[in-house]
């Protein structure tokens, strides 16, 4: 992919700060986004309605749409409504479901999208993927990445801690995803994109090594940047490879076998930690274990409410969730009995690193 193409896929603006939602006026007035203010603002119910009241003085001639459900049907319905007028841009304000619904609808009709994130639960705020439900099952759909990304730390701070914890798990799991990609490159000659690797790894490294807490602006800014860089890395290489490895396979397996166990980010974080142990990278294992533990994320199956045997079943099933992807799980091809042995060793090593 050419550097020009990569530049085109980079958001025009990335802003992470407090009060960003209240100050949307200058962004919406940016002529690169809308020459005449013909903008569709998409929000979710509840908090979204409060946000609209907060920003109404800055909206000008923009139209406001409320979406619910985070489903393909909701996105298609939104797309139909967007098609009734010629909009220069769609501005999605809210959490993951609202933003993914807006991304899908905007992509369907070729309208540029601006993300205004009020939570940091996953890397969807800037990724080329929309996670939506269809016929009762969640699926991933390719979409255009936003042309601008704004994160309001006031809303992030006031939201549930568990959403932010999930974002931490999703962001640091990129370290394992990149390692899995490099493994596929060494073993199978799989093409690898150095820029995508650098983007995904840089944000995750900064997060793992940040000493702050989820109540600190500096830490939240680093988390936001890590999630945004992870999303851009996927757009750069044209796939989810730099942000989805054995960690995500384990998360998908848990969703399939034991639905409702935990958030995607919590499961991906634990999956990344276990995969790093399987890889034998003890230094990275210690870094990830301390990071997850420090921020209150699960480091053991019990931390997610799973028994060891359930986790063994998920790890054994995980490669079936992405048969086209080569990770440490496919490389080792462990049987259930072998996973049990590795899990027992993992538990002992974990205690040593966290004592």
């Amino acid at each position: 992919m050419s550097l020009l193409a990569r530049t085109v896929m980079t958001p025009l603006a990335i802003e992470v700060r407090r009060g960003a939602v209240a100050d949307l006026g200058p962004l919406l007035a940016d002529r690169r986004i809308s020459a005449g203010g013909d903008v569709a603002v998409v929000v979710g119910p509840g908090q979204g309605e409060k946000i609209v009241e907060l920003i109404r003085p800055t909206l000008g001639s923009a139209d406001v749409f409320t979406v619910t459900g985070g489903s393909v049907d909701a996105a298609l319905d939104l797309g139909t409504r967007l098609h009734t007028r010629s909009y220069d841009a769609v501005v999605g304000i809210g959490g993951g479901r609202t933003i993914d619904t807006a991304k899908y609808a905007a992509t369907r009709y070729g309208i540029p999208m601006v993300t205004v994130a009020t939570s940091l639960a996953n890397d969807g705020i800037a990724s080329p993927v929309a996670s939506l439900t269809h016929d009762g099952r969640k699926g991933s759909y390719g979409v255009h990445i936003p042309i601008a990304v704004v994160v309001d730390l006031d809303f992030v701070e006031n939201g549930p801690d568990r959403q932010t914890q999930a974002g931490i798990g999703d962001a640091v799991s990129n370290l394992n995803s990149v390692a899995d990609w490099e493994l596929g490159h060494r073993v199978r000659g799989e093409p690898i994109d150095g820029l995508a690797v650098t983007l995904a790894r840089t944000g995750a490294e900064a997060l793992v090594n940040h000493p702050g807490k989820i109540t600190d602006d500096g830490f939240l800014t680093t988390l936001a940047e890590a999630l945004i860089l992870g999303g851009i890395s996927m757009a750069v290489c044209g796939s989810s490879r730099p942000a989805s490895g054995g960690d995500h396979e384990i998360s998908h397996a848990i969703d399939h076998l034991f639905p409702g166990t935990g958030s995607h980010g919590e499961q991906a974080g634990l999956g990344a930690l276990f995969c790093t142990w399987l890889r034998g990278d003890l230094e990275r294992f210690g870094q990830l274990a301390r990071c997850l533990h420090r921020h209150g994320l699960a480091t053991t199956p019990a931390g997610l409410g799973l028994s060891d045997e359930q986790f063994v079943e998920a790890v054994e099933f995980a490669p079936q969730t992405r048969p086209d992807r080569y990770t440490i799980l496919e490389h080792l091809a462990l049987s259930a009995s072998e996973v049990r042995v590795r899990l027992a060793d993992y538990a002992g090593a974990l205690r040593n690193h966290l004592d």
Side-chain angles (χ1 to χ4, degrees):
M1 184 177 295
S2 71
L3 289 177
L4 176 60
R6 286 170 170 159
T7 301
V8 169
M9 289 191 298
T10 301
L12 294 172
I14 297 175
E15 190 169 356
V16 182
R17 64 178 178 85
R18 293 184 178 275
V21 168
D23 297 333
L24 273 179
L27 177 63
L28 298 183
D30 190 327
R31 295 183 65 86
R32 293 175 299 174
I33 294 175
S34 176
D38 296 320
V39 174
V41 176
V42 179
V43 298
Q47 181 170 252
E49 296 165 356
K50 297 178 183 178
I51 293 172
V52 169
E53 291 306 311
L54 178 65
I55 66 174
R56 191 169 294 281
T58 71
L59 292 181
S61 61
D63 293 329
V64 178
F65 300 93
T66 300
V67 296
T68 59
S71 66
V72 171
D73 288 342
L76 292 175
D77 178 67
L78 174 62
T80 299
R81 289 185 283 167
L82 293 177
H83 200 49
T84 61
R85 177 179 167 187
S86 181
Y87 291 106
D88 294 326
V90 174
V91 180
I93 305 176
R97 284 185 293 182
T98 299
I99 289 171
D100 281 355
T101 301
K103 280 198 295 185
Y104 187 97
T107 298
R108 182 175 175 83
Y109 287 100
I111 308 172
M113 160 80 180
V114 175
T115 288
V116 182
T118 58
S119 70
L120 295 173
N122 56 63
D123 59 16
I125 56 179
S127 77
V129 177
S131 181
L132 301 169
T133 57
H134 183 60
D135 291 336
R137 302 188 66 176
K138 181 168 285 189
S140 298
Y141 302 88
V143 294
H144 297 152
I145 70 167
I147 61 172
V149 180
V150 178
V151 179
D152 192 321
L153 296 183
D154 286 325
F155 285 92
V156 172
E157 182 182 60
N158 292 330
D161 286 350
R162 193 174 181 188
Q163 289 186 345
T164 304
Q165 290 170 320
I168 295 169
D170 199 20
V172 300
S173 74
N174 289 356
L175 294 171
N176 177 74
S177 300
V178 166
D180 277 336
W181 195 5
E182 291 173 333
L183 175 67
H185 176 65
R186 290 194 306 272
V187 175
R188 302 202 308 178
E190 182 180 340
I192 195 166
D193 188 303
L195 178 57
V197 165
T198 299
L199 290 169
R201 180 180 282 151
T202 297
E205 288 276 13
L207 190 63
V208 164
N209 291 295
H210 198 290
K213 302 178 181 179
I214 62 174
T215 54
D216 301 338
D217 281 11
F219 179 80
L220 290 175
T221 299
T222 301
L223 171 58
E225 291 170 347
L227 293 171
I228 292 168
L229 287 174
I232 294 174
S233 74
M234 289 186 268
V236 164
C237 70
S239 81
S240 63
R241 193 54 157 129
S244 176
D247 43 272
H248 277 52
E249 290 182 337
I250 290 174
S251 180
H252 295 324
I254 292 172
D255 287 340
H256 178 79
L257 297 171
F258 314 108
T261 294
S263 70
H264 168 73
E266 291 174 309
Q267 295 171 177
L270 177 60
L273 186 60
F274 187 68
C275 286
T276 302
W277 168 252
L278 293 179
R279 188 174 289 105
D281 188 344
L282 296 184
E283 181 178 0
R284 179 69 78 193
F285 175 76
Q287 286 180 324
L288 284 174
R290 289 187 292 273
C291 176
L292 295 175
H293 180 72
R294 183 168 67 251
H295 297 297
L297 280 91
T299 56
T300 65
L304 285 177
L306 295 174
S307 67
D308 284 358
E309 195 57 37
Q310 286 174 320
F311 188 72
V312 168
E313 186 178 350
V315 172
E316 188 181 26
F317 182 81
Q320 298 181 49
T321 67
R322 287 300 302 266
D324 60 325
R325 187 144 294 179
Y326 193 79
T327 77
I328 191 65
L329 300 179
E330 287 78 5
H331 183 69
L332 296 177
L334 300 174
S335 66
S337 60
E338 290 171 325
V339 175
R340 289 188 194 97
V341 172
R342 298 294 186 99
L343 183 58
D345 293 340
Y346 164 91
L350 187 62
R351 286 192 293 270
N352 291 334
H353 279 279
L354 296 181
D355 284 345

